[in-house]
Amino acid sequence: MILEKIVNQKISRLMSEKQRMPLDFYKEVIREGREKRDFRSALKSGDKISIIAEVKKASPSRGIIKEDFDPEEIGRIYEMSDVQAISVLTERDFFQGDKSYIPTVKTVTSKPILRKDFIVDEYQVYEAKALGADAILLIVACLSDDQLSELTDTAKSLDLDILTEVHDEQELERALKTESNIIGINNRNLKTFEIDIRNTERLISYIPEGIVTVSESGISSREDMVFLENLGIDAVLIGETLMRADSIPGKVLELRGSI
């Protein structure tokens, strides 16, 4: 199972990273203060559906997505585009991401930054804050209830927003117990990597009012955007569609229905 493989590799990598860069180092960096941009508010910034645009080089299911990958340039493009937040993929072994992309992108944009990774340890939460992330992704499918609760509490204590990701009713029930105020519905099954955008339609009715909702994966057209807008979704997270586009600004305009 690919998810289990990714998590096991992440745990193994964390062991060496903790030796190289102790947690106390990141705690000291955080004490110096870090600018906070309000990720949640950005997703509720107007009447239209918000876009979280992703900086993403590769994936285990698709391989290399963007050959001429330059995170700084992509950040500059997103800054000038009609997107409300930026997701930076930092997982190295399967997605060819890097944690250094967070400060790189943050220096060229005024928009809030989400660290997208497989976060399984509080070390990664402190690291995200120290690197300049404004929010983190917590994937319910790869966390126990205790882990989910502990990581949520740590993130809140560091004033990080949390996008809590679910794929089915059981995961949603677990997420709601954490009192998460941003729920991401992943249209991709992380066990099979199959995508069905109607997974958002299936789960949104179970999410209480007042919680910001994000649809993730499989959004590639204006029709998809309209479908999700009509469901009442607050935001969409789009990666591969933008990374494969000949023109990122042009694709954003197309998704917005402006061309």
Side-chain angles (χ1 to χ4, degrees):
M1 188 190 302
I2 185 66
L3 180 60
E4 187 178 346
K5 223 174 176 183
I6 293 170
V7 171
N8 287 339
Q9 179 62 26
K10 177 61 63 179
I11 293 169
S12 175
R13 181 175 285 281
L14 278 171
M15 290 174 66
S16 59
E17 288 184 357
K18 286 177 179 180
Q19 291 180 335
R20 188 170 63 253
M21 195 70 72
L23 177 59
D24 284 345
F25 170 80
Y26 289 124
K27 288 184 176 181
E28 187 61 36
V29 171
I30 292 168
R31 272 193 280 271
E32 296 172 6
R34 279 289 178 269
E35 173 200 5
K36 167 68 189 298
R37 300 171 188 172
D38 195 326
F39 178 76
R40 185 177 187 276
S41 292
L43 305 188
K44 297 284 285 185
S45 58
D47 295 332
K48 63 187 176 184
I49 196 167
S50 294
I51 295 177
I52 308 167
E54 193 150 81
V55 177
K56 178 179 184 178
K57 182 177 181 179
S59 79
S61 60
R62 302 288 191 178
I64 298 293
I65 294 168
K66 189 167 183 62
E67 293 283 355
D68 56 336
F69 182 76
D70 182 344
E72 183 174 335
E73 179 59 20
I74 295 166
R76 291 184 195 279
I77 292 170
Y78 285 158
E79 174 67 10
M80 297 182 292
S81 302
D82 187 9
V83 305
Q84 285 61 55
I86 300 174
S87 167
V88 178
L89 226 157
T90 59
E91 199 285 324
R92 290 183 62 183
D93 297 299
F94 296 85
F95 292 84
Q96 298 191 32
D98 195 279
K99 59 191 177 186
S100 68
Y101 296 160
I102 293 175
T104 295
V105 173
K106 190 150 191 175
T107 58
V108 297
T109 183
S110 60
K111 297 173 184 183
I113 304 293
L114 168 74
R115 180 186 188 176
K116 190 176 180 188
D117 207 321
F118 294 79
I119 293 177
V120 295
D121 190 293
E122 71 165 3
Y123 178 90
Q124 296 164 281
V125 183
Y126 281 95
E127 182 181 58
K129 181 69 174 182
L131 289 167
D134 304 293
I136 60 168
L137 176 74
L138 292 182
I139 304 171
V140 174
C142 62
L143 299 169
S144 68
D145 285 343
D146 286 344
Q147 284 177 308
L148 185 58
S149 176
E150 289 165 7
L151 293 171
T152 297
D153 289 346
T154 300
K156 287 179 178 177
S157 74
L158 297 176
D159 196 25
L160 285 167
D161 286 321
I162 307 157
L163 174 57
T164 308
E165 179 183 292
V166 304
H167 178 265
D168 59 27
E169 291 88 340
Q170 184 180 16
E171 290 173 10
L172 175 57
E173 186 178 344
R174 293 175 59 208
L176 292 174
K177 288 178 182 176
T178 70
E179 299 183 356
S180 174
N181 59 13
I182 314 173
I183 297 286
I185 301 172
N186 197 342
N187 300 311
R188 185 192 305 274
N189 185 323
L190 290 178
K191 296 175 182 175
T192 65
F193 271 69
E194 294 177 355
I195 297 175
D196 181 4
I197 195 172
R198 291 194 174 274
N199 196 45
T200 294
E201 181 179 38
R202 191 165 61 85
L203 292 184
I204 191 171
S205 60
Y206 298 107
I207 300 177
E209 286 186 19
I211 294 177
V212 173
T213 52
V214 181
S215 183
E216 309 171 27
S217 301
I219 300 134
S220 60
S221 67
R222 177 60 190 159
E223 289 73 22
D224 292 336
M225 294 283 282
V226 171
F227 173 72
L228 295 169
E229 284 174 347
N230 289 337
L231 290 179
I233 284 290
D234 296 302
V236 291
L237 192 153
I238 305 177
E240 184 175 340
T241 293
L242 293 173
M243 292 293 92
R244 289 194 185 279
D246 293 332
S247 165
I248 292 175
K251 188 63 183 180
V252 173
L253 288 172
E254 179 190 325
L255 290 167
R256 288 291 185 199
S258 301
I259 56 173

